[in-house]
Amino acid sequence: MKATAKAHTNIALIKYWGKRNDRLILPTNSSLSVTLDRFYTVTTVDFDKERTEDVFYLNGELAPEKETKKVSTYLNKVREFAGVELFASVFSENHVPTAAGFASSASGYAALSAASTKAIGLNLTPRELSQFARIGSGSACRSIYGGYVEWQMGEKNDGSDSYAVPLLDGKEFPIAVLSVMVNASEKKVLSREGMKRTVETSPFYQGWLESAEKELVEMKHALTLRDFTRLGTIAEKNALKMHATTLGADPPFLYWQSGTLQVMDAVENLRSKGLEAYFTIDAGPNVKVLCQPSDVEKITAQLKEVPSVQHIYPCQPGPGVTYLDGVHIADVNNRGDLDG
Ligand code: ADP
Ligand code: DP6
């Protein structure tokens, strides 16, 4: 009982930052992202009656016990739902830095959910799969689809109305996302811990909730109009507000480093010179610069001059989950993109 799935990371333009239910991973606000072509995870899950426990290999190495435990806890939910009691071997390759703010948890859990549910014999709709991915890592539910995706927070306590919905094919609104690496090491405060601390202790959190809701509506409007200026402006404001909440947490923390600020500064400089660019930052020091595809070369050249910049990965909107055998389960809106 074996299956292999490939899932891409996504970058949130309106961030998910906070849970109302930790166990089911139900968010306090809806979020919106674009799936990226460049970064992805490929995961194979093999349920085997000979196994006496789960094993998890990440990037060719046996994962630390803590990580194996996380994967095993996730597989327990899949086993429980399927009514199957077999243990599994899980082999995962991250074609993205792990735990450095490049959303490895999103591609990781989207690939794990797709491979494990298929291997165990569940035949899920993309919506159901997005709910399965969500209980592994919230942002993973958006990676089931390609292009622009909304995670609708839902209201119900059982999570049955909290899932991702594809909004727009990436080809219908092509943008470029330059992933600018200033530090690839693993962050000290994982997203899970960081958002929990913020929800519980930051006096700025209420302000975040109010503005995130408004900004989501504005962002969807920008997508409808294919208005890049609006998209970038709102994404940048939303990222700044998310990071502001962490400064009010107790103990306070900040994902930015001096290199992060250098890139933010450079983006502002580009704008003042008439080159349209905006930044967004997830839970880590690295920066994603949003620009028009026609400006990629010019903007990359300028950002390379920033002393803290180690590497720039140009990305575009990418596809949703695919299986290695070529059966495409999602992306009703992204058929042309599915093999990317
Ligand atoms: P990131 O910015 O990379 O998403 P997070 O702190 O949100 O960082 O999540 C990183 C965590 O996601 C890792 O510590 C690990 O538990 C999990 N993860 C990353 N890659 C995989 C994978 N391929 N399979 C399963 N879990 C993964
Ligand atoms: C800042 O989805 O990694 O990237 O649900 O606890 O696994 P868990 O968190 P995760 O958090 C992502 C936070 C973010 C914003 C976003 O992607 O929306």
Side-chain angles (χ1 to χ4, degrees):
M1 296 169 79
K2 182 172 166 180
T4 299
K6 177 179 181 184
H8 291 247
T9 66
N10 67 77
I11 174 74
L13 302 175
I14 300 294
K15 310 291 184 195
Y16 143 55
W17 195 243
K19 298 180 181 67
R20 64 180 200 275
N21 178 321
D22 289 344
R23 190 177 55 85
L24 294 173
I25 309 201
L26 300 177
T28 47
N29 67 283
S30 296
S31 53
L32 190 154
S33 62
V34 57
T35 304
L36 300 178
D37 61 342
R38 175 102 189 200
F39 295 125
Y40 59 92
T41 299
V42 177
T43 300
T44 300
V45 178
D46 189 1
F47 289 98
D48 181 353
K49 57 182 182 326
E50 304 298 319
R51 292 222 142 271
T52 54
E53 58 181 1
D54 295 319
V55 284
F56 175 38
Y57 285 83
L58 183 59
N59 298 333
E61 286 180 17
L62 195 60
E65 207 183 311
K66 198 171 135 223
E67 290 301 323
T68 306
K69 223 172 152 187
K70 275 199 215 170
V71 165
S72 216
T73 304
Y74 182 76
L75 292 178
N76 285 342
K77 294 173 190 171
V78 176
R79 282 186 278 253
E80 200 187 321
F81 189 82
V84 173
E85 287 185 358
L86 303 178
F87 290 105
S89 51
V90 177
F91 296 89
S92 190
E93 292 285 339
N94 276 345
H95 297 260
V96 53
T98 303
F102 280 93
S104 67
S105 63
S107 56
Y109 275 96
L112 181 63
S113 62
S116 60
T117 54
K118 186 171 186 211
I120 215 160
L122 293 172
N123 192 13
L124 303 179
T125 63
R127 179 170 290 183
E128 288 165 337
L129 182 55
S130 105
Q131 290 178 302
F132 259 99
R134 189 201 76 218
I135 57 173
S137 179
S139 55
C141 77
R142 298 184 308 236
S143 276
I144 299 306
Y145 299 101
Y148 299 89
V149 182
E150 178 182 357
W151 173 9
Q152 297 180 347
M153 64 179 283
E155 289 173 352
K156 295 184 182 161
N157 289 335
D158 64 0
S160 57
D161 57 352
S162 185
Y163 43 71
V165 173
L167 294 177
L168 189 67
D169 188 324
K171 288 199 181 94
E172 288 184 51
F173 188 9
I175 60 165
V177 180
L178 304 176
S179 286
V180 181
M181 186 185 277
V182 297
N183 187 341
S185 48
E186 296 199 5
K187 54 195 159 194
K188 291 193 201 94
V189 185
L190 293 179
S191 318
R192 186 154 299 187
E193 185 193 334
M195 70 174 83
K196 191 172 169 57
R197 196 191 299 172
T198 309
V199 173
E200 286 171 0
T201 64
S202 179
F204 307 150
Y205 194 68
Q206 198 50 41
W208 158 258
L209 286 179
E210 283 160 24
S211 53
E213 201 183 320
K214 269 194 243 138
E215 284 167 352
L216 177 79
V217 174
E218 289 168 19
M219 183 60 81
K220 285 167 79 169
H221 193 52
L223 290 183
T224 307
L225 299 175
R226 314 287 193 268
D227 185 335
F228 176 71
T229 304
R230 277 194 210 209
L231 176 146
T233 308
I234 302 162
E236 194 172 290
K237 279 191 204 168
N238 183 263
L240 287 168
K241 287 200 194 81
M242 181 205 113
H243 288 271
T245 65
T246 73
L247 295 175
D250 190 9
F253 62 105
L254 181 61
Y255 286 111
W256 305 347
Q257 297 174 355
S258 53
T260 315
L261 287 162
Q262 282 180 22
V263 178
M264 292 159 79
D265 210 30
V267 168
E268 263 190 57
N269 279 336
L270 286 167
R271 278 210 295 270
S272 66
K273 287 192 241 162
L275 264 178
E276 216 183 351
Y278 303 90
F279 60 76
T280 181
I281 306 162
D282 273 349
N286 301 301
V287 184
K288 282 90 196 170
V289 177
L290 310 169
C291 68
Q292 306 266 22
S294 53
D295 289 335
V296 167
E297 271 181 38
K298 272 180 277 178
I299 291 177
T300 305
Q302 305 253 348
L303 291 175
K304 273 188 181 158
E305 300 299 317
V306 179
S308 63
V309 171
Q310 295 174 0
H311 201 83
I312 300 175
Y313 301 92
C315 306
Q316 294 171 27
V321 162
T322 54
Y323 290 108
L324 208 76
D325 61 15
V327 178
H328 305 138
I329 51 113
D331 287 279
V332 274
N333 287 334
N334 283 289
R335 289 184 197 282
D337 261 339
L338 284 168
D339 293 318

